[in-house]
Amino acid sequence: MINLEVPKKFTGLVRQAHQVSKEVLRANSRKYDRAEHSYPKELDMLASLVDGMNDGGGQGAGAAGVRREKTDDDSNRNGSNLSTALGIIEMCWGDVGLLLSMPRQGLGNSAIASVANEEQLKRFEGRWAAMAITEPGCGSDSAAIRTTAVKDGDEYILNGEKIYVTAGERADLVVVWATLDKSAGRAAIKSFVVEKGTPGFELVRLEKKLGIKSSDTAAFVLKDCRVPAENLLGDPTVNVEKGFAGVMQTFDNTRPLVAAMAIGLARAALEETRKVLEAAGVEIDYDQLITQQTAAAAEFIRMEADFEAARLLMMEAAWMADNRKPNSLQASMAKAKAGRACVDISLKCVELCGNLGYTEDSLLEKWARDSKILDIFEGTQQIQQLIIARRLLGKSSAELK
């Protein structure tokens, strides 16, 4: 049976992550929002702290450590997926962009943790990995990837273009999705670990963005880029019946984490808005019907309910991953709900707080800008709803587009 409260063994992690978020991330949030593309040096010591927690067997707060661990019994377990999600909530209460800028905690690390073999895990240990999926002609439809990988002896030759790579400039490695055979469709999509500095792997630009300005977003071109065959993650064979379940398993683990990012930001916006409303004399009374309260109080209660629904869906998806239960449906539900709720809540908080929400005197306007990416990356709102519909109706991607 799942318990949707924070497990007692993780309360220390949550407190520590919140303290770090308050003193480091929140304290530097506006600074690096204004200094786009500047590397947040304050994060180096923080990343070392997270590394130390992980090396010591503790439960970290970063984006790594989402591997599905085998268990010897059928008992419930609260493992690395849930602990990571809880830590991320606290960190994104501070700043989403700065969390995404933490060394060695990229989404590529999640991909490696999800599908790498033991030799690869050891070889790439301690490295910062970004993830490159999106292409100019391929967004949420990952199966439409056109970057190619051709086997040549003990190497693969990669050619293509990748855009919107989070932490692409700063990372040591980039996990690149490419196809072994375009005619084979989804089954030929594989992920390759490309080391920075590899000939033929070129950084072409950094994007200027609406939000998460402290996090660099890069574009790359791969031109006859040779990658060792042992850098392919997962099974190298093209199995049409299996499809590309191996690489897609990454999303089952990371989508709840993106939902956790949205929950952390939404909570920050709600807490700040409550302070503003209470200072203005607005009373939020949970013992009264919504119809008997002010419009502002009623709206705030509605947002809290939306927030709580997103939080519980995220907890369920992460718990299922820890307990080795299929969670593709729940991961997409959590990501879709949290992404949409985060945008709705942050924008409504700006509206309720009036001029305080719109000026840079508060972080509310920044959170409203940051929130939109959480509804887009790791699969847009629309693609999540499509995945959910397929799962509920038992339709394949060919049957329901």
Side-chain angles (χ1 to χ4, degrees):
M1 180 181 295
I2 181 173
N3 184 346
L4 293 174
E5 299 297 324
V6 175
K8 289 184 178 179
K9 70 175 183 177
F10 295 150
T11 54
L13 159 72
V14 170
R15 284 196 301 268
Q16 184 179 36
H18 182 79
Q19 191 69 19
V20 168
S21 184
K22 179 180 178 180
E23 296 182 1
V24 180
L25 304 191
R26 181 74 69 89
N28 288 285
S29 184
R30 183 65 73 184
K31 173 183 176 182
Y32 288 103
D33 181 55
R34 290 170 175 160
E36 187 170 11
H37 298 153
S38 297
Y39 177 67
K41 296 181 180 180
E42 292 86 349
L43 298 184
D44 287 336
M45 184 177 297
L46 180 57
S48 298
L49 173 63
V50 174
D51 288 342
M53 290 173 61
N54 292 334
D55 292 341
Q59 301 290 345
V66 293
R67 195 173 185 82
R68 297 192 179 208
E69 302 162 347
K70 294 182 179 180
T71 57
D72 297 328
D73 54 49
D74 295 328
S75 61
N76 292 339
R77 61 183 282 112
N78 296 311
S80 59
N81 288 274
L82 185 55
S83 69
T84 301
L86 293 172
I88 283 175
I89 289 174
E90 299 305 321
M91 303 294 269
C92 289
W93 174 90
D95 190 272
V96 174
L98 289 175
L99 171 71
L100 292 171
S101 299
M102 284 183 60
R104 298 174 297 283
Q105 304 300 326
L107 291 174
N109 292 102
S110 294
I112 292 171
S114 296
V115 297
N117 59 38
E118 294 301 323
E119 184 275 332
Q120 290 170 330
L121 284 174
K122 184 176 181 180
R123 182 153 48 92
F124 299 131
E125 183 180 6
R127 311 284 294 280
W128 187 356
M131 189 151 66
I133 301 174
T134 306
E135 300 177 1
C138 162
S140 292
D141 184 9
S142 302
I145 283 173
R146 292 294 176 264
T147 296
T148 60
V150 178
K151 187 73 179 296
D152 183 25
D154 294 331
E155 297 176 317
Y156 285 93
I157 303 174
L158 273 60
N159 282 281
E161 184 177 354
K162 293 295 181 180
I163 59 176
Y164 301 140
V165 182
T166 301
E169 181 191 33
R170 300 167 185 168
D172 307 309
L173 314 167
V174 180
V175 177
V176 176
W177 285 30
T179 178
L180 298 179
D181 181 0
K182 292 181 181 180
S183 65
R186 294 170 178 266
I189 304 294
K190 304 294 179 179
S191 53
F192 300 82
V193 179
V194 182
E195 299 200 33
K196 298 291 284 295
T198 301
F201 188 49
E202 180 186 356
L203 171 68
V204 292
R205 70 176 180 275
L206 295 178
E207 306 288 355
K208 289 186 175 293
K209 308 184 296 295
L210 171 72
I212 59 167
K213 291 177 178 289
S214 56
S215 171
D216 69 285
T217 303
F220 291 95
V221 168
L222 297 101
K223 187 174 182 180
D224 294 332
C225 178
R226 289 184 170 270
V227 178
E230 59 265 26
N231 282 23
L232 184 151
L233 299 177
D235 187 355
T237 61
V238 177
N239 187 332
V240 176
E241 293 183 0
K242 185 179 179 181
F244 67 150
V247 291
M248 288 302 288
Q249 181 185 336
T250 301
F251 286 138
D252 295 344
N253 286 335
T254 59
R255 280 173 176 158
L257 302 186
V258 176
M261 294 179 191
I263 290 163
L265 188 152
R267 197 187 82 195
L270 285 171
E271 290 178 2
E272 184 66 21
T273 300
R274 177 187 285 275
K275 294 177 183 177
V276 173
L277 293 179
E278 290 178 348
V282 175
E283 182 180 357
I284 302 170
D285 189 347
Y286 296 100
D287 294 327
Q288 293 291 331
L289 295 173
I290 286 182
T291 54
Q292 297 176 342
Q293 300 194 54
T294 64
E299 188 63 43
F300 187 86
I301 292 173
R302 184 198 66 78
M303 290 192 296
E304 282 191 321
D306 210 23
F307 165 83
E308 188 65 12
R311 186 186 73 85
L312 294 177
L313 281 170
M314 181 279 299
M315 294 278 284
E316 179 188 26
W319 178 88
M320 291 179 71
D322 279 335
N323 287 274
R324 301 185 62 79
K325 297 178 183 292
N327 73 332
S328 293
L329 171 62
Q330 290 76 13
S332 286
M333 290 173 65
K335 201 279 179 179
K337 176 63 177 179
R340 182 169 56 192
C342 179
V343 173
D344 291 346
I345 288 171
S346 61
L347 289 175
K348 180 58 69 171
C349 286
V350 167
E351 179 183 329
L352 289 178
C353 294
N355 66 307
L356 290 178
Y358 199 69
T359 70
E360 291 190 358
D361 292 336
S362 167
L363 287 171
L364 279 168
E365 63 84 25
K366 179 185 182 301
W367 294 332
R369 288 186 285 108
D370 287 349
S371 68
K372 190 56 188 175
I373 191 60
L374 301 173
D375 198 33
I376 296 176
F377 69 5
E378 293 288 291
T380 64
Q381 176 71 215
Q382 292 77 15
I383 202 68
Q384 300 307 323
Q385 293 185 30
L386 184 58
I387 292 170
I388 293 166
R390 288 170 181 164
R391 295 287 188 273
L392 293 177
L393 298 175
K395 301 288 186 180
S396 68
S397 58
E399 293 172 317
L400 185 58
K401 297 183 179 179

